[in-house]
Amino acid sequence: MNYKDMSEELAFNVLINRIYSKTCLDFSRYKRGYIKRRISGRMRAIGVNSYAQYLRYLEKNPEEYAHIMDSVAINVTEFFRDPGTFFAFRNEVLPEILSRKIGRKSRGEKVCGEAEKWRGNVLGSCDYGARSDCEKHDGDDGMRATGCVGLGVRREALRSGAERSGTERSGTLRIWSAGCASGEEPYTIAIILLEELGDNLGNLLVSILATDIDDDALKKAMQGFYQPFSLKNIPPNILKKYFHSENGGYRIKDVVKRLVRFRKHDLISGEKLQYFDVIFCRNVMIYFSRELQERLFMDFYNSLNDGGFLIIGKTETLTGEAREKFICVNVQERIFRKPPR
Ligand SMILES: C[S@@+](CC[C@H](N)C(=O)[O-])C[C@H]1O[C@@H](n2cnc3c(N)ncnc32)[C@H](O)[C@@H]1O
């Protein structure tokens, strides 16, 4: 094909279509500026300076398609990334779910989501329960904060322990880490569940599904071997309990690994998954167009059991129809709930 007379904009569109036809990755739904920056970075690295030239390069070097994926996917992650979010997961989300699944009463602890106070607290009890200056202890469930426009406060619904969806199974706990990168997020969730429920997992059938589009990231996740920098948030006792030290790094123990199932899945074109109690999709949709974000928020809504929780990244915002559908339960940690039936 002759790309010589094509404008750069047109060549970019052709490139996006070509990538889709060769790899099934649909970058037309990502933020255009973001995809351009990432692909341009790759082009600079191989000494190509126009999209037209890059199209020719791809024709001669089809193995280059694999590098595009590497350049576009940002896999930055770590264990207990944004500790306050996991603190809220353990102290606000889990008690609610466990009360429905196994009739377990909330531990009755007051909770405080201040990230800097998390150390020793995500995995233990909150030392700040008695503090009257803690935002979440003033009886309004942290809903004073703005940002939940149109969602309304349905605290009565949130507190009902008797809700049960027609679709969920009471003896199972299904969690989805969507865009799991190299596995730190789903393994963090598994560690919290083991700490909260003990080795027998409260007799629940626990399944954590972890998905991503990036093969290399998934491979690393399945290996479960990590360098110290991605474990810096983990207290020493937890590190010792759930990891083997090995060749200067750490390997996750089988007791954690067996709770997580990794699978390749594209949030944009993949099959619609269902019946989850909690979905984590953090720091993934920031790269997507607003239109796509709106669609995916509704996909997540439909993937959740009634009363299930959606947890998004701390810099992300719920948009579109989903704003009206979800109840915001922790604005600071971006935790939303599908109303219980
Ligand atoms: C920054 S990482 C987020 C990892 C983890 N959720 C966290 O917050 O630490 C973003 C991940 O989203 C994945 N991703 C990007 N587009 C995706 C898509 N269409 N479907 C599934 N995963 C995608 C990338 O491969 C990458 O691993």
Side-chain angles (χ1 to χ4, degrees), residues 65-98:
Y65 284 104
H67 293 290
I68 297 179
M69 183 62 242
D70 288 346
S71 321
V72 170
I74 295 185
N75 303 124
V76 178
T77 184
E78 62 182 358
F79 283 87
F80 291 92
R81 180 181 192 177
D82 298 323
T85 303
F86 288 105
F87 187 85
F89 168 66
R90 180 168 186 178
N91 290 285
E92 298 174 37
V93 173
L94 267 186
E96 181 60 35
I97 291 177
L98 296 178

PDB file of all heavy atoms in Angstrom, residues 65-98:
ATOM      1  N   TYR A  65       4.167  -5.897  16.193  1.00  0.00           N
ATOM      2  CA  TYR A  65       2.838  -5.749  16.833  1.00  0.00           C
ATOM      3  C   TYR A  65       2.907  -6.052  18.332  1.00  0.00           C
ATOM      4  O   TYR A  65       2.221  -5.427  19.142  1.00  0.00           O
ATOM      5  CB  TYR A  65       1.799  -6.649  16.153  1.00  0.00           C
ATOM      6  CG  TYR A  65       1.346  -6.092  14.827  1.00  0.00           C
ATOM      7  CD1 TYR A  65       1.797  -6.626  13.633  1.00  0.00           C
ATOM      8  CD2 TYR A  65       0.475  -5.004  14.782  1.00  0.00           C
ATOM      9  CE1 TYR A  65       1.393  -6.113  12.408  1.00  0.00           C
ATOM     10  CE2 TYR A  65       0.060  -4.474  13.567  1.00  0.00           C
ATOM     11  CZ  TYR A  65       0.523  -5.024  12.382  1.00  0.00           C
ATOM     12  OH  TYR A  65       0.128  -4.496  11.186  1.00  0.00           O
ATOM     13  N   ALA A  66       3.748  -7.000  18.706  1.00  0.00           N
ATOM     14  CA  ALA A  66       3.866  -7.353  20.125  1.00  0.00           C
ATOM     15  C   ALA A  66       4.429  -6.176  20.925  1.00  0.00           C
ATOM     16  O   ALA A  66       4.040  -5.949  22.079  1.00  0.00           O
ATOM     17  CB  ALA A  66       4.769  -8.564  20.282  1.00  0.00           C
ATOM     18  N   HIS A  67       5.333  -5.387  20.299  1.00  0.00           N
ATOM     19  CA  HIS A  67       5.918  -4.248  21.018  1.00  0.00           C
ATOM     20  C   HIS A  67       4.899  -3.125  21.206  1.00  0.00           C
ATOM     21  O   HIS A  67       5.003  -2.347  22.142  1.00  0.00           O
ATOM     22  CB  HIS A  67       7.137  -3.714  20.263  1.00  0.00           C
ATOM     23  CG  HIS A  67       8.269  -4.691  20.261  1.00  0.00           C
ATOM     24  ND1 HIS A  67       8.983  -4.990  21.390  1.00  0.00           N
ATOM     25  CD2 HIS A  67       8.785  -5.453  19.277  1.00  0.00           C
ATOM     26  CE1 HIS A  67       9.902  -5.889  21.097  1.00  0.00           C
ATOM     27  NE2 HIS A  67       9.802  -6.188  19.820  1.00  0.00           N
ATOM     28  N   ILE A  68       3.939  -3.039  20.296  1.00  0.00           N
ATOM     29  CA  ILE A  68       2.923  -1.990  20.446  1.00  0.00           C
ATOM     30  C   ILE A  68       2.178  -2.213  21.755  1.00  0.00           C
ATOM     31  O   ILE A  68       1.957  -1.300  22.533  1.00  0.00           O
ATOM     32  CB  ILE A  68       1.930  -1.990  19.260  1.00  0.00           C
ATOM     33  CG1 ILE A  68       2.686  -1.664  17.973  1.00  0.00           C
ATOM     34  CG2 ILE A  68       0.804  -0.992  19.498  1.00  0.00           C
ATOM     35  CD1 ILE A  68       1.823  -1.650  16.731  1.00  0.00           C
ATOM     36  N   MET A  69       1.812  -3.468  22.001  1.00  0.00           N
ATOM     37  CA  MET A  69       1.097  -3.787  23.245  1.00  0.00           C
ATOM     38  C   MET A  69       1.926  -3.350  24.452  1.00  0.00           C
ATOM     39  O   MET A  69       1.427  -2.705  25.374  1.00  0.00           O
ATOM     40  CB  MET A  69       0.859  -5.306  23.282  1.00  0.00           C
ATOM     41  CG  MET A  69       0.062  -5.783  24.462  1.00  0.00           C
ATOM     42  SD  MET A  69      -1.567  -5.098  24.475  1.00  0.00           S
ATOM     43  CE  MET A  69      -1.505  -4.177  25.987  1.00  0.00           C
ATOM     44  N   ASP A  70       3.226  -3.692  24.418  1.00  0.00           N
ATOM     45  CA  ASP A  70       4.104  -3.319  25.537  1.00  0.00           C
ATOM     46  C   ASP A  70       4.135  -1.812  25.741  1.00  0.00           C
ATOM     47  O   ASP A  70       4.177  -1.323  26.861  1.00  0.00           O
ATOM     48  CB  ASP A  70       5.555  -3.772  25.268  1.00  0.00           C
ATOM     49  CG  ASP A  70       5.675  -5.275  25.380  1.00  0.00           C
ATOM     50  OD1 ASP A  70       4.749  -5.905  25.902  1.00  0.00           O
ATOM     51  OD2 ASP A  70       6.700  -5.811  24.925  1.00  0.00           O
ATOM     52  N   SER A  71       4.132  -1.061  24.629  1.00  0.00           N
ATOM     53  CA  SER A  71       4.247   0.392  24.752  1.00  0.00           C
ATOM     54  C   SER A  71       2.960   1.022  25.258  1.00  0.00           C
ATOM     55  O   SER A  71       2.995   2.029  25.956  1.00  0.00           O
ATOM     56  CB  SER A  71       4.549   1.036  23.392  1.00  0.00           C
ATOM     57  OG  SER A  71       5.438   0.256  22.675  1.00  0.00           O
ATOM     58  N   VAL A  72       1.841   0.428  24.890  1.00  0.00           N
ATOM     59  CA  VAL A  72       0.569   1.057  25.238  1.00  0.00           C
ATOM     60  C   VAL A  72       0.129   0.722  26.657  1.00  0.00           C
ATOM     61  O   VAL A  72      -0.360   1.580  27.389  1.00  0.00           O
ATOM     62  CB  VAL A  72      -0.526   0.669  24.225  1.00  0.00           C
ATOM     63  CG1 VAL A  72      -1.894   1.110  24.694  1.00  0.00           C
ATOM     64  CG2 VAL A  72      -0.205   1.293  22.870  1.00  0.00           C
ATOM     65  N   ALA A  73       0.331  -0.517  27.051  1.00  0.00           N
ATOM     66  CA  ALA A  73      -0.131  -0.910  28.388  1.00  0.00           C
ATOM     67  C   ALA A  73       0.824  -0.360  29.439  1.00  0.00           C
ATOM     68  O   ALA A  73       2.020  -0.584  29.370  1.00  0.00           O
ATOM     69  CB  ALA A  73      -0.174  -2.426  28.480  1.00  0.00           C
ATOM     70  N   ILE A  74       0.280   0.381  30.364  1.00  0.00           N
ATOM     71  CA  ILE A  74       1.099   0.813  31.493  1.00  0.00           C
ATOM     72  C   ILE A  74       0.757  -0.122  32.643  1.00  0.00           C
ATOM     73  O   ILE A  74      -0.368  -0.154  33.118  1.00  0.00           O
ATOM     74  CB  ILE A  74       0.795   2.266  31.873  1.00  0.00           C
ATOM     75  CG1 ILE A  74       1.208   3.169  30.718  1.00  0.00           C
ATOM     76  CG2 ILE A  74       1.529   2.650  33.133  1.00  0.00           C
ATOM     77  CD1 ILE A  74       1.072   4.638  31.006  1.00  0.00           C
ATOM     78  N   ASN A  75       1.741  -0.902  33.046  1.00  0.00           N
ATOM     79  CA  ASN A  75       1.462  -1.953  34.030  1.00  0.00           C
ATOM     80  C   ASN A  75       1.853  -1.569  35.458  1.00  0.00           C
ATOM     81  O   ASN A  75       1.959  -2.423  36.305  1.00  0.00           O
ATOM     82  CB  ASN A  75       2.221  -3.237  33.655  1.00  0.00           C
ATOM     83  CG  ASN A  75       1.871  -3.710  32.266  1.00  0.00           C
ATOM     84  OD1 ASN A  75       2.725  -3.878  31.422  1.00  0.00           O
ATOM     85  ND2 ASN A  75       0.583  -3.904  32.021  1.00  0.00           N
ATOM     86  N   VAL A  76       2.076  -0.278  35.683  1.00  0.00           N
ATOM     87  CA  VAL A  76       2.518   0.121  37.024  1.00  0.00           C
ATOM     88  C   VAL A  76       1.524  -0.331  38.078  1.00  0.00           C
ATOM     89  O   VAL A  76       0.322  -0.072  37.974  1.00  0.00           O
ATOM     90  CB  VAL A  76       2.641   1.670  37.108  1.00  0.00           C
ATOM     91  CG1 VAL A  76       3.058   2.095  38.509  1.00  0.00           C
ATOM     92  CG2 VAL A  76       3.616   2.169  36.077  1.00  0.00           C
ATOM     93  N   THR A  77       2.010  -1.009  39.078  1.00  0.00           N
ATOM     94  CA  THR A  77       1.151  -1.470  40.162  1.00  0.00           C
ATOM     95  C   THR A  77       2.040  -1.873  41.328  1.00  0.00           C
ATOM     96  O   THR A  77       3.263  -1.893  41.201  1.00  0.00           O
ATOM     97  CB  THR A  77       0.266  -2.650  39.689  1.00  0.00           C
ATOM     98  OG1 THR A  77      -0.625  -3.021  40.747  1.00  0.00           O
ATOM     99  CG2 THR A  77       1.082  -3.873  39.272  1.00  0.00           C
ATOM    100  N   GLU A  78       1.452  -2.155  42.454  1.00  0.00           N
ATOM    101  CA  GLU A  78       2.220  -2.658  43.598  1.00  0.00           C
ATOM    102  C   GLU A  78       1.241  -3.286  44.585  1.00  0.00           C
ATOM    103  O   GLU A  78       0.029  -3.094  44.479  1.00  0.00           O
ATOM    104  CB  GLU A  78       3.015  -1.530  44.271  1.00  0.00           C
ATOM    105  CG  GLU A  78       2.146  -0.433  44.839  1.00  0.00           C
ATOM    106  CD  GLU A  78       2.944   0.706  45.463  1.00  0.00           C
ATOM    107  OE1 GLU A  78       4.180   0.645  45.502  1.00  0.00           O
ATOM    108  OE2 GLU A  78       2.304   1.672  45.928  1.00  0.00           O
ATOM    109  N   PHE A  79       1.765  -4.043  45.517  1.00  0.00           N
ATOM    110  CA  PHE A  79       0.915  -4.603  46.559  1.00  0.00           C
ATOM    111  C   PHE A  79       0.383  -3.462  47.426  1.00  0.00           C
ATOM    112  O   PHE A  79       1.089  -2.502  47.716  1.00  0.00           O
ATOM    113  CB  PHE A  79       1.709  -5.595  47.425  1.00  0.00           C
ATOM    114  CG  PHE A  79       1.919  -6.921  46.753  1.00  0.00           C
ATOM    115  CD1 PHE A  79       3.008  -7.134  45.912  1.00  0.00           C
ATOM    116  CD2 PHE A  79       0.998  -7.955  46.934  1.00  0.00           C
ATOM    117  CE1 PHE A  79       3.190  -8.357  45.274  1.00  0.00           C
ATOM    118  CE2 PHE A  79       1.172  -9.177  46.290  1.00  0.00           C
ATOM    119  CZ  PHE A  79       2.268  -9.383  45.460  1.00  0.00           C
ATOM    120  N   PHE A  80      -0.877  -3.561  47.822  1.00  0.00           N
ATOM    121  CA  PHE A  80      -1.526  -2.555  48.661  1.00  0.00           C
ATOM    122  C   PHE A  80      -1.367  -1.142  48.085  1.00  0.00           C
ATOM    123  O   PHE A  80      -1.117  -0.190  48.817  1.00  0.00           O
ATOM    124  CB  PHE A  80      -1.006  -2.618  50.113  1.00  0.00           C
ATOM    125  CG  PHE A  80      -1.442  -3.860  50.833  1.00  0.00           C
ATOM    126  CD1 PHE A  80      -0.650  -4.998  50.824  1.00  0.00           C
ATOM    127  CD2 PHE A  80      -2.662  -3.916  51.498  1.00  0.00           C
ATOM    128  CE1 PHE A  80      -1.052  -6.168  51.451  1.00  0.00           C
ATOM    129  CE2 PHE A  80      -3.076  -5.082  52.132  1.00  0.00           C
ATOM    130  CZ  PHE A  80      -2.276  -6.205  52.118  1.00  0.00           C
ATOM    131  N   ARG A  81      -1.526  -1.048  46.740  1.00  0.00           N
ATOM    132  CA  ARG A  81      -1.468   0.288  46.114  1.00  0.00           C
ATOM    133  C   ARG A  81      -2.656   1.104  46.644  1.00  0.00           C
ATOM    134  O   ARG A  81      -3.787   0.623  46.629  1.00  0.00           O
ATOM    135  CB  ARG A  81      -1.578   0.126  44.602  1.00  0.00           C
ATOM    136  CG  ARG A  81      -1.539   1.427  43.859  1.00  0.00           C
ATOM    137  CD  ARG A  81      -1.682   1.164  42.377  1.00  0.00           C
ATOM    138  NE  ARG A  81      -1.367   2.351  41.615  1.00  0.00           N
ATOM    139  CZ  ARG A  81      -1.361   2.375  40.292  1.00  0.00           C
ATOM    140  NH1 ARG A  81      -1.643   1.295  39.596  1.00  0.00           N
ATOM    141  NH2 ARG A  81      -1.079   3.483  39.652  1.00  0.00           N
ATOM    142  N   ASP A  82      -2.437   2.306  47.071  1.00  0.00           N
ATOM    143  CA  ASP A  82      -3.450   3.125  47.732  1.00  0.00           C
ATOM    144  C   ASP A  82      -3.997   2.359  48.943  1.00  0.00           C
ATOM    145  O   ASP A  82      -5.150   1.882  48.947  1.00  0.00           O
ATOM    146  CB  ASP A  82      -4.597   3.501  46.782  1.00  0.00           C
ATOM    147  CG  ASP A  82      -4.104   4.336  45.613  1.00  0.00           C
ATOM    148  OD1 ASP A  82      -3.207   5.176  45.832  1.00  0.00           O
ATOM    149  OD2 ASP A  82      -4.572   4.122  44.484  1.00  0.00           O
ATOM    150  N   PRO A  83      -3.196   2.265  49.995  1.00  0.00           N
ATOM    151  CA  PRO A  83      -3.577   1.446  51.153  1.00  0.00           C
ATOM    152  C   PRO A  83      -4.948   1.778  51.730  1.00  0.00           C
ATOM    153  O   PRO A  83      -5.668   0.891  52.203  1.00  0.00           O
ATOM    154  CB  PRO A  83      -2.477   1.743  52.170  1.00  0.00           C
ATOM    155  CG  PRO A  83      -1.317   2.199  51.371  1.00  0.00           C
ATOM    156  CD  PRO A  83      -1.881   2.888  50.151  1.00  0.00           C
ATOM    157  N   GLY A  84      -5.323   3.068  51.695  1.00  0.00           N
ATOM    158  CA  GLY A  84      -6.619   3.462  52.255  1.00  0.00           C
ATOM    159  C   GLY A  84      -7.772   2.727  51.591  1.00  0.00           C
ATOM    160  O   GLY A  84      -8.786   2.419  52.224  1.00  0.00           O
ATOM    161  N   THR A  85      -7.611   2.433  50.306  1.00  0.00           N
ATOM    162  CA  THR A  85      -8.672   1.720  49.584  1.00  0.00           C
ATOM    163  C   THR A  85      -8.817   0.305  50.120  1.00  0.00           C
ATOM    164  O   THR A  85      -9.934  -0.190  50.335  1.00  0.00           O
ATOM    165  CB  THR A  85      -8.336   1.684  48.067  1.00  0.00           C
ATOM    166  OG1 THR A  85      -8.169   3.015  47.622  1.00  0.00           O
ATOM    167  CG2 THR A  85      -9.442   0.996  47.275  1.00  0.00           C
ATOM    168  N   PHE A  86      -7.688  -0.345  50.377  1.00  0.00           N
ATOM    169  CA  PHE A  86      -7.775  -1.715  50.901  1.00  0.00           C
ATOM    170  C   PHE A  86      -8.241  -1.721  52.349  1.00  0.00           C
ATOM    171  O   PHE A  86      -8.880  -2.671  52.799  1.00  0.00           O
ATOM    172  CB  PHE A  86      -6.428  -2.428  50.721  1.00  0.00           C
ATOM    173  CG  PHE A  86      -6.165  -2.755  49.281  1.00  0.00           C
ATOM    174  CD1 PHE A  86      -5.263  -2.033  48.532  1.00  0.00           C
ATOM    175  CD2 PHE A  86      -6.885  -3.764  48.653  1.00  0.00           C
ATOM    176  CE1 PHE A  86      -5.058  -2.314  47.187  1.00  0.00           C
ATOM    177  CE2 PHE A  86      -6.694  -4.051  47.310  1.00  0.00           C
ATOM    178  CZ  PHE A  86      -5.772  -3.327  46.579  1.00  0.00           C
ATOM    179  N   PHE A  87      -7.914  -0.649  53.059  1.00  0.00           N
ATOM    180  CA  PHE A  87      -8.414  -0.524  54.424  1.00  0.00           C
ATOM    181  C   PHE A  87      -9.947  -0.460  54.395  1.00  0.00           C
ATOM    182  O   PHE A  87     -10.633  -1.152  55.153  1.00  0.00           O
ATOM    183  CB  PHE A  87      -7.841   0.741  55.080  1.00  0.00           C
ATOM    184  CG  PHE A  87      -8.172   0.839  56.526  1.00  0.00           C
ATOM    185  CD1 PHE A  87      -7.396   0.205  57.483  1.00  0.00           C
ATOM    186  CD2 PHE A  87      -9.291   1.554  56.944  1.00  0.00           C
ATOM    187  CE1 PHE A  87      -7.724   0.278  58.825  1.00  0.00           C
ATOM    188  CE2 PHE A  87      -9.623   1.629  58.282  1.00  0.00           C
ATOM    189  CZ  PHE A  87      -8.839   0.992  59.225  1.00  0.00           C
ATOM    190  N   ALA A  88     -10.466   0.364  53.483  1.00  0.00           N
ATOM    191  CA  ALA A  88     -11.922   0.487  53.370  1.00  0.00           C
ATOM    192  C   ALA A  88     -12.536  -0.811  52.865  1.00  0.00           C
ATOM    193  O   ALA A  88     -13.626  -1.208  53.291  1.00  0.00           O
ATOM    194  CB  ALA A  88     -12.269   1.635  52.429  1.00  0.00           C
ATOM    195  N   PHE A  89     -11.840  -1.501  51.977  1.00  0.00           N
ATOM    196  CA  PHE A  89     -12.355  -2.796  51.496  1.00  0.00           C
ATOM    197  C   PHE A  89     -12.518  -3.749  52.668  1.00  0.00           C
ATOM    198  O   PHE A  89     -13.545  -4.398  52.833  1.00  0.00           O
ATOM    199  CB  PHE A  89     -11.386  -3.373  50.449  1.00  0.00           C
ATOM    200  CG  PHE A  89     -11.652  -4.814  50.101  1.00  0.00           C
ATOM    201  CD1 PHE A  89     -12.821  -5.188  49.455  1.00  0.00           C
ATOM    202  CD2 PHE A  89     -10.731  -5.811  50.429  1.00  0.00           C
ATOM    203  CE1 PHE A  89     -13.072  -6.524  49.146  1.00  0.00           C
ATOM    204  CE2 PHE A  89     -10.968  -7.138  50.120  1.00  0.00           C
ATOM    205  CZ  PHE A  89     -12.150  -7.501  49.478  1.00  0.00           C
ATOM    206  N   ARG A  90     -11.485  -3.802  53.506  1.00  0.00           N
ATOM    207  CA  ARG A  90     -11.562  -4.748  54.620  1.00  0.00           C
ATOM    208  C   ARG A  90     -12.599  -4.332  55.666  1.00  0.00           C
ATOM    209  O   ARG A  90     -13.312  -5.168  56.207  1.00  0.00           O
ATOM    210  CB  ARG A  90     -10.189  -4.884  55.289  1.00  0.00           C
ATOM    211  CG  ARG A  90     -10.261  -5.864  56.455  1.00  0.00           C
ATOM    212  CD  ARG A  90      -8.932  -6.279  56.997  1.00  0.00           C
ATOM    213  NE  ARG A  90      -9.136  -7.320  58.018  1.00  0.00           N
ATOM    214  CZ  ARG A  90      -8.173  -7.922  58.670  1.00  0.00           C
ATOM    215  NH1 ARG A  90      -6.930  -7.621  58.415  1.00  0.00           N
ATOM    216  NH2 ARG A  90      -8.444  -8.842  59.573  1.00  0.00           N
ATOM    217  N   ASN A  91     -12.672  -3.039  55.947  1.00  0.00           N
ATOM    218  CA  ASN A  91     -13.479  -2.597  57.076  1.00  0.00           C
ATOM    219  C   ASN A  91     -14.883  -2.122  56.728  1.00  0.00           C
ATOM    220  O   ASN A  91     -15.729  -2.000  57.605  1.00  0.00           O
ATOM    221  CB  ASN A  91     -12.738  -1.490  57.836  1.00  0.00           C
ATOM    222  CG  ASN A  91     -11.533  -2.058  58.548  1.00  0.00           C
ATOM    223  OD1 ASN A  91     -11.666  -2.712  59.570  1.00  0.00           O
ATOM    224  ND2 ASN A  91     -10.364  -1.847  57.978  1.00  0.00           N
ATOM    225  N   GLU A  92     -15.127  -1.835  55.464  1.00  0.00           N
ATOM    226  CA  GLU A  92     -16.464  -1.372  55.088  1.00  0.00           C
ATOM    227  C   GLU A  92     -17.161  -2.344  54.136  1.00  0.00           C
ATOM    228  O   GLU A  92     -18.330  -2.639  54.302  1.00  0.00           O
ATOM    229  CB  GLU A  92     -16.378   0.016  54.431  1.00  0.00           C
ATOM    230  CG  GLU A  92     -15.825   1.072  55.374  1.00  0.00           C
ATOM    231  CD  GLU A  92     -15.596   2.415  54.689  1.00  0.00           C
ATOM    232  OE1 GLU A  92     -16.390   2.806  53.828  1.00  0.00           O
ATOM    233  OE2 GLU A  92     -14.588   3.077  55.030  1.00  0.00           O
ATOM    234  N   VAL A  93     -16.405  -2.828  53.152  1.00  0.00           N
ATOM    235  CA  VAL A  93     -17.025  -3.682  52.130  1.00  0.00           C
ATOM    236  C   VAL A  93     -17.183  -5.123  52.638  1.00  0.00           C
ATOM    237  O   VAL A  93     -18.275  -5.696  52.601  1.00  0.00           O
ATOM    238  CB  VAL A  93     -16.184  -3.652  50.823  1.00  0.00           C
ATOM    239  CG1 VAL A  93     -16.704  -4.651  49.811  1.00  0.00           C
ATOM    240  CG2 VAL A  93     -16.204  -2.240  50.240  1.00  0.00           C
ATOM    241  N   LEU A  94     -16.094  -5.690  53.116  1.00  0.00           N
ATOM    242  CA  LEU A  94     -16.141  -7.103  53.519  1.00  0.00           C
ATOM    243  C   LEU A  94     -17.180  -7.395  54.610  1.00  0.00           C
ATOM    244  O   LEU A  94     -17.950  -8.352  54.483  1.00  0.00           O
ATOM    245  CB  LEU A  94     -14.758  -7.572  53.981  1.00  0.00           C
ATOM    246  CG  LEU A  94     -13.868  -8.210  52.925  1.00  0.00           C
ATOM    247  CD1 LEU A  94     -12.600  -8.758  53.573  1.00  0.00           C
ATOM    248  CD2 LEU A  94     -14.596  -9.327  52.174  1.00  0.00           C
ATOM    249  N   PRO A  95     -17.249  -6.580  55.691  1.00  0.00           N
ATOM    250  CA  PRO A  95     -18.245  -6.891  56.726  1.00  0.00           C
ATOM    251  C   PRO A  95     -19.663  -6.942  56.168  1.00  0.00           C
ATOM    252  O   PRO A  95     -20.475  -7.781  56.541  1.00  0.00           O
ATOM    253  CB  PRO A  95     -18.097  -5.740  57.721  1.00  0.00           C
ATOM    254  CG  PRO A  95     -16.708  -5.241  57.516  1.00  0.00           C
ATOM    255  CD  PRO A  95     -16.405  -5.435  56.054  1.00  0.00           C
ATOM    256  N   GLU A  96     -19.950  -6.028  55.233  1.00  0.00           N
ATOM    257  CA  GLU A  96     -21.286  -5.998  54.642  1.00  0.00           C
ATOM    258  C   GLU A  96     -21.560  -7.281  53.846  1.00  0.00           C
ATOM    259  O   GLU A  96     -22.623  -7.897  53.972  1.00  0.00           O
ATOM    260  CB  GLU A  96     -21.363  -4.757  53.723  1.00  0.00           C
ATOM    261  CG  GLU A  96     -22.674  -4.553  53.038  1.00  0.00           C
ATOM    262  CD  GLU A  96     -23.819  -4.376  54.017  1.00  0.00           C
ATOM    263  OE1 GLU A  96     -23.624  -3.774  55.085  1.00  0.00           O
ATOM    264  OE2 GLU A  96     -24.915  -4.878  53.694  1.00  0.00           O
ATOM    265  N   ILE A  97     -20.572  -7.681  53.078  1.00  0.00           N
ATOM    266  CA  ILE A  97     -20.750  -8.889  52.262  1.00  0.00           C
ATOM    267  C   ILE A  97     -20.833 -10.127  53.155  1.00  0.00           C
ATOM    268  O   ILE A  97     -21.694 -10.988  52.969  1.00  0.00           O
ATOM    269  CB  ILE A  97     -19.580  -9.036  51.265  1.00  0.00           C
ATOM    270  CG1 ILE A  97     -19.677  -7.929  50.225  1.00  0.00           C
ATOM    271  CG2 ILE A  97     -19.607 -10.392  50.584  1.00  0.00           C
ATOM    272  CD1 ILE A  97     -18.540  -7.935  49.247  1.00  0.00           C
ATOM    273  N   LEU A  98     -19.965 -10.183  54.155  1.00  0.00           N
ATOM    274  CA  LEU A  98     -19.935 -11.385  55.005  1.00  0.00           C
ATOM    275  C   LEU A  98     -21.205 -11.516  55.827  1.00  0.00           C
ATOM    276  O   LEU A  98     -21.659 -12.618  56.108  1.00  0.00           O
ATOM    277  CB  LEU A  98     -18.700 -11.364  55.903  1.00  0.00           C
ATOM    278  CG  LEU A  98     -17.368 -11.437  55.139  1.00  0.00           C
ATOM    279  CD1 LEU A  98     -16.189 -11.367  56.092  1.00  0.00           C
ATOM    280  CD2 LEU A  98     -17.288 -12.709  54.283  1.00  0.00           C
TER     281      LEU A  98
END
